[in-house]
Amino acid sequence: MNLSVAYGIASVPLVAAKYNLLMEDFFHVARINVRDVPRNSSKMSTAKQAAAFWSQRIAPGFGFSLLRDTGSIGGAIVVGPILVRQLEIYGTAPTNLTLFGCGVLAGSICGLCTQVLHNAALTAGRMQMTGEPGGHIQAAQWLIREHGIRALWLNFPMRVGAIASFSAILNVTQPFRD
C-alpha cells in the first residue's frame, strides 16, 4: 500500500474526531446549539452509542478528511525524501538541516494543496453539528457559497505551519525508511 494512503487511512478517524470534538466545544462556549450525541444513556447499548458517535462526530466530511490527510502529511512523507534525492543528484550530501528543510518545503506545499479539503471537512462537521442536512457535495457547495475562492487558502497559516513542522521532523527521523 502507498505510504501516504496508509497514513491517511490510519489518521482519519482520530483527526476527524479531534476536529469535530473541538468544534463542539467551541459551539458550547459560544452558546450555539449543537446536535447532541447520546452518551452513557442507560437506554442505549455501547454499540449504539459508538455508532451514534461515529455518525455524528467522525463520518461528517470523512471523504474530505481522508483526502486531506493522505495528501498533506501523507503526501509530505513521500515528497520530502524525493526532494532530498534531488539534492543528492547535484552532489549535496543530506544533513539534518537539508532533511529538515526538504520536510518543511514538502509539508508547506502539500498542506497548502489540501487546504480546501480541510475547509470542506470542517464545513461538513459544522453542518452536522448544527443540524444542516447534507453530505459531502452539499458541504463543498456551502463552503464555496460562503467563502468563494478564499476556500482554497482560508485558515492556512497555522495548519500549514503544523504540517510543515511534522513533515520536517518525519523527514529528519525517517521512521518509514525502507
Side-chain angles (χ1 to χ4, degrees), residues 141-161:
Q141 290 170 336
W142 185 298
L143 175 67
I144 298 302
R145 185 173 51 248
E146 195 172 59
H147 297 291
I149 192 75
R150 289 184 35 220
L152 295 172
W153 65 81
L154 186 67
N155 303 319
F156 87 92
M158 290 179 50
R159 178 178 171 267
V160 170

Side-chain angles (χ1 to χ4, degrees), residues 9-171:
I9 290 170
S11 70
V12 165
L14 300 173
V15 173
K18 173 189 74 172
Y19 278 121
N20 289 332
L21 288 170
L22 285 171
M23 195 178 318
E24 179 181 359
D25 288 344
F26 169 78
F27 284 164
H28 177 73
V29 169
R31 300 183 197 283
I32 298 171
N33 289 334
V34 298
R35 294 171 113 187
D36 192 29
V37 175
R39 293 188 183 105
N40 301 327
S41 172
S42 60
K43 298 176 186 176
M44 290 181 70
S45 69
T46 303
K48 285 186 179 182
Q49 288 179 29
F53 183 82
W54 175 270
S55 68
Q56 294 183 13
R57 297 299 185 259
I58 296 175
F62 189 84
F64 292 129
S65 296
L66 177 63
L67 293 172
R68 172 193 64 207
D69 292 348
T70 298
S72 60
I73 292 178
I77 59 179
V78 171
V79 173
I82 292 171
L83 295 175
V84 172
R85 282 194 296 277
Q86 290 302 310
L87 288 176
E88 290 173 344
I89 289 173
Y90 293 104
T92 303
T95 64
N96 283 342
L97 183 61
T98 58
L99 290 170
F100 191 84
C102 288
V104 166
L105 180 61
S108 297
I109 292 167
C110 292
L112 187 56
C113 288
T114 58
Q115 189 63 34
V116 72
L117 297 168
H118 173 74
N119 289 330
L122 292 180
T123 301
R126 183 183 62 183
M127 288 173 66
Q128 172 66 27
M129 282 186 207
T130 58
E132 295 292 331
H136 287 81
I137 300 299
Q138 290 80 8
Q141 290 170 336
W142 185 298
L143 175 67
I144 298 302
R145 185 173 51 248
E146 195 172 59
H147 297 291
I149 192 75
R150 289 184 35 220
L152 295 172
W153 65 81
L154 186 67
N155 303 319
F156 87 92
M158 290 179 50
R159 178 178 171 267
V160 170
I163 291 168
S165 300
F166 293 141
S167 301
I169 292 166
L170 290 171
N171 208 41

